[in-house]
Amino acid sequence: MAAALVRPRNNRMIAGVCAGLAQRFGTTPATMRVIFLLSCLLPGPQFLLYLGLWLFIPSEKNAKRTAW
C-alpha cells in the first residue's frame, strides 16, 4: 500500500510539496524537484498547481493529529 500524501517535516525546501509527492510515489525528493523544474519549461499553470498543493496537502504534523 502506498504512503499517504502529506508534506513531511524533514526534506523540505520551500513547503514540502515535492518531498511529499516523492514519498507518495516512491522516488527521491531531488528527482521530484528536477521533474518540477523541467515541467516549468513547458507552458501551463505549474506554479499555481504547486501553490494549490501547498494549501490542500496536510502537513505531517496536522495529518497525524487528525488521523483516525
Side-chain angles (χ1 to χ4, degrees), residues 18-40:
C18 289
L21 290 172
Q23 260 184 352
R24 173 69 172 89
F25 294 111
T27 67
T28 64
T31 302
M32 195 58 69
R33 290 178 187 120
V34 168
I35 290 170
F36 175 73
L37 288 175
L38 289 176
S39 77
C40 290

Side-chain angles (χ1 to χ4, degrees), residues 7 12 14-17 49-59:
R7 293 181 296 120
R12 287 185 173 194
I14 297 174
V17 173
L49 179 64
Y50 186 91
L51 291 174
L53 290 173
W54 186 353
L55 291 172
F56 292 114
I57 296 175
S59 70

